[in-house]
Short mmCIF file of all heavy atoms in Angstrom, two decimals:
data_model
loop_
_atom_site.label_atom_id
_atom_site.label_comp_id
_atom_site.label_asym_id
_atom_site.label_seq_id
_atom_site.Cartn_x
_atom_site.Cartn_y
_atom_site.Cartn_z
N ARG A 1 83.23 114.44 103.39
CA ARG A 1 84.33 113.54 103.74
C ARG A 1 85.60 113.87 102.96
O ARG A 1 85.59 113.96 101.74
CB ARG A 1 83.94 112.08 103.44
CG ARG A 1 82.93 111.48 104.38
CD ARG A 1 82.85 109.97 104.21
NE ARG A 1 82.38 109.58 102.90
CZ ARG A 1 81.15 109.14 102.64
NH1 ARG A 1 80.26 109.04 103.61
NH2 ARG A 1 80.81 108.78 101.42
N GLY A 2 86.69 114.05 103.69
CA GLY A 2 87.98 114.32 103.06
C GLY A 2 88.15 115.76 102.64
O GLY A 2 89.28 116.20 102.43
N ARG A 3 87.06 116.49 102.50
CA ARG A 3 87.15 117.87 102.05
C ARG A 3 86.94 118.83 103.21
O ARG A 3 87.82 119.62 103.54
CB ARG A 3 86.13 118.14 100.94
CG ARG A 3 86.23 119.56 100.36
CD ARG A 3 85.45 119.67 99.08
NE ARG A 3 85.67 120.96 98.45
CZ ARG A 3 85.24 121.29 97.25
NH1 ARG A 3 84.58 120.40 96.52
NH2 ARG A 3 85.48 122.49 96.75
N ARG A 4 85.78 118.79 103.84
CA ARG A 4 85.50 119.67 104.98
C ARG A 4 85.73 118.97 106.31
O ARG A 4 85.88 119.63 107.34
CB ARG A 4 84.08 120.20 104.88
CG ARG A 4 83.87 121.10 103.66
CD ARG A 4 82.43 121.50 103.49
NE ARG A 4 81.94 122.25 104.63
CZ ARG A 4 80.64 122.46 104.88
NH1 ARG A 4 79.72 121.95 104.07
NH2 ARG A 4 80.28 123.15 105.94
N ILE A 5 85.70 117.65 106.31
CA ILE A 5 86.03 116.87 107.51
C ILE A 5 87.18 115.94 107.17
O ILE A 5 87.05 115.07 106.29
CB ILE A 5 84.83 116.04 108.01
CG1 ILE A 5 83.65 116.95 108.38
CG2 ILE A 5 85.25 115.20 109.23
CD1 ILE A 5 82.43 116.20 108.89
N GLY A 6 88.31 116.12 107.84
CA GLY A 6 89.45 115.23 107.66
C GLY A 6 89.44 114.14 108.71
O GLY A 6 88.85 114.30 109.79
N PHE A 7 90.09 113.02 108.41
CA PHE A 7 90.08 111.87 109.33
C PHE A 7 91.48 111.31 109.49
O PHE A 7 92.18 111.06 108.51
CB PHE A 7 89.14 110.80 108.78
CG PHE A 7 89.11 109.53 109.60
CD1 PHE A 7 88.71 109.57 110.93
CD2 PHE A 7 89.48 108.32 109.04
CE1 PHE A 7 88.69 108.41 111.70
CE2 PHE A 7 89.47 107.15 109.80
CZ PHE A 7 89.07 107.20 111.13
N ILE A 8 91.88 111.12 110.76
CA ILE A 8 93.16 110.49 111.08
C ILE A 8 92.85 109.14 111.70
O ILE A 8 92.31 109.07 112.81
CB ILE A 8 93.98 111.34 112.07
CG1 ILE A 8 94.16 112.76 111.55
CG2 ILE A 8 95.34 110.68 112.33
CD1 ILE A 8 94.80 113.70 112.57
N PRO A 9 93.13 108.03 111.02
CA PRO A 9 92.79 106.71 111.56
C PRO A 9 93.73 106.27 112.67
O PRO A 9 94.76 106.89 112.93
CB PRO A 9 92.90 105.80 110.33
CG PRO A 9 93.89 106.49 109.45
CD PRO A 9 93.71 107.96 109.68
N GLN A 10 93.36 105.15 113.28
CA GLN A 10 94.04 104.69 114.48
C GLN A 10 95.41 104.08 114.19
O GLN A 10 96.37 104.37 114.90
CB GLN A 10 93.16 103.66 115.19
CG GLN A 10 93.75 103.08 116.45
CD GLN A 10 92.80 102.12 117.14
OE1 GLN A 10 93.16 101.00 117.48
NE2 GLN A 10 91.58 102.54 117.34
N ASP A 11 95.50 103.21 113.20
CA ASP A 11 96.71 102.42 113.00
C ASP A 11 97.51 102.91 111.79
O ASP A 11 97.09 102.70 110.65
CB ASP A 11 96.34 100.94 112.81
CG ASP A 11 97.55 100.02 112.95
OD1 ASP A 11 98.68 100.48 112.69
OD2 ASP A 11 97.37 98.85 113.31
N PRO A 12 98.65 103.54 112.02
CA PRO A 12 99.43 104.05 110.88
C PRO A 12 100.03 102.95 110.03
O PRO A 12 100.45 103.19 108.90
CB PRO A 12 100.53 104.88 111.56
CG PRO A 12 100.68 104.27 112.92
CD PRO A 12 99.30 103.83 113.31
N TYR A 13 100.06 101.70 110.55
CA TYR A 13 100.65 100.60 109.80
C TYR A 13 99.66 99.97 108.82
O TYR A 13 100.04 99.28 107.88
CB TYR A 13 101.19 99.53 110.75
CG TYR A 13 102.39 100.01 111.54
CD1 TYR A 13 102.22 100.56 112.80
CD2 TYR A 13 103.66 99.95 111.01
CE1 TYR A 13 103.31 101.03 113.53
CE2 TYR A 13 104.77 100.42 111.72
CZ TYR A 13 104.58 100.96 112.97
OH TYR A 13 105.65 101.43 113.68
N LEU A 14 98.35 100.18 109.06
CA LEU A 14 97.33 99.58 108.20
C LEU A 14 96.67 100.58 107.27
O LEU A 14 96.02 100.18 106.30
CB LEU A 14 96.26 98.90 109.06
CG LEU A 14 96.72 97.74 109.95
CD1 LEU A 14 95.55 97.20 110.77
CD2 LEU A 14 97.32 96.61 109.10
N ALA A 15 96.79 101.86 107.56
CA ALA A 15 96.01 102.87 106.84
C ALA A 15 96.59 103.22 105.47
O ALA A 15 95.87 103.80 104.64
CB ALA A 15 95.91 104.14 107.69
N LEU A 16 97.86 102.90 105.22
CA LEU A 16 98.48 103.23 103.93
C LEU A 16 98.68 101.96 103.11
O LEU A 16 99.06 100.91 103.64
CB LEU A 16 99.82 103.92 104.16
CG LEU A 16 99.75 105.31 104.80
CD1 LEU A 16 101.13 105.75 105.28
CD2 LEU A 16 99.16 106.33 103.84
N ASN A 17 98.40 102.05 101.83
CA ASN A 17 98.54 100.91 100.92
C ASN A 17 100.03 100.67 100.63
O ASN A 17 100.71 101.58 100.14
CB ASN A 17 97.79 101.19 99.62
CG ASN A 17 97.65 99.96 98.76
OD1 ASN A 17 98.58 99.16 98.62
ND2 ASN A 17 96.49 99.80 98.15
N PRO A 18 100.54 99.47 100.91
CA PRO A 18 101.98 99.24 100.78
C PRO A 18 102.49 99.20 99.34
O PRO A 18 103.71 99.29 99.12
CB PRO A 18 102.18 97.87 101.46
CG PRO A 18 100.86 97.19 101.33
CD PRO A 18 99.84 98.28 101.43
N VAL A 19 101.61 99.06 98.35
CA VAL A 19 102.09 98.89 96.97
C VAL A 19 102.14 100.20 96.18
O VAL A 19 102.58 100.19 95.02
CB VAL A 19 101.21 97.85 96.21
CG1 VAL A 19 101.22 96.53 96.94
CG2 VAL A 19 99.79 98.36 96.02
N PHE A 20 101.69 101.30 96.79
CA PHE A 20 101.73 102.59 96.11
C PHE A 20 102.62 103.56 96.90
O PHE A 20 102.71 103.48 98.13
CB PHE A 20 100.34 103.20 95.96
CG PHE A 20 99.43 102.42 95.07
CD1 PHE A 20 98.45 101.59 95.61
CD2 PHE A 20 99.55 102.50 93.70
CE1 PHE A 20 97.61 100.86 94.79
CE2 PHE A 20 98.70 101.78 92.87
CZ PHE A 20 97.74 100.94 93.42
N THR A 21 103.25 104.48 96.20
CA THR A 21 104.06 105.48 96.88
C THR A 21 103.15 106.39 97.72
O THR A 21 101.95 106.52 97.46
CB THR A 21 104.84 106.36 95.89
OG1 THR A 21 103.91 107.11 95.10
CG2 THR A 21 105.74 105.52 95.01
N VAL A 22 103.76 107.01 98.70
CA VAL A 22 103.03 107.96 99.53
C VAL A 22 102.47 109.10 98.68
O VAL A 22 101.32 109.52 98.84
CB VAL A 22 103.96 108.51 100.63
CG1 VAL A 22 103.38 109.76 101.26
CG2 VAL A 22 104.22 107.45 101.68
N GLY A 23 103.27 109.57 97.73
CA GLY A 23 102.81 110.66 96.87
C GLY A 23 101.59 110.29 96.07
O GLY A 23 100.66 111.09 95.92
N ALA A 24 101.56 109.06 95.53
CA ALA A 24 100.42 108.62 94.73
C ALA A 24 99.15 108.57 95.59
O ALA A 24 98.06 108.96 95.14
CB ALA A 24 100.70 107.25 94.13
N GLN A 25 99.29 108.12 96.83
CA GLN A 25 98.12 108.02 97.70
C GLN A 25 97.61 109.38 98.15
O GLN A 25 96.41 109.64 98.17
CB GLN A 25 98.46 107.14 98.91
CG GLN A 25 98.77 105.70 98.50
CD GLN A 25 99.09 104.81 99.67
OE1 GLN A 25 98.26 104.58 100.54
NE2 GLN A 25 100.32 104.29 99.70
#
C-alpha cells in the first residue's frame, strides 16, 4: 500500500487534511 500500489480516492475535498500543509501531508 502506497509503495507498489498507489490509490487515488474519489473526493478531492475530503481526502486531504485541512489543518496541515500539502507538503507536510
Side-chain angles (χ1 to χ4, degrees):
R1 287 193 296 256
R3 184 166 187 172
R4 295 174 61 196
I5 300 180
F7 177 60
I8 306 172
Q10 180 177 129
D11 194 334
Y13 292 94
L14 298 178
L16 293 166
N17 192 319
V19 303
F20 295 102
T21 65
V22 164
Q25 296 181 64

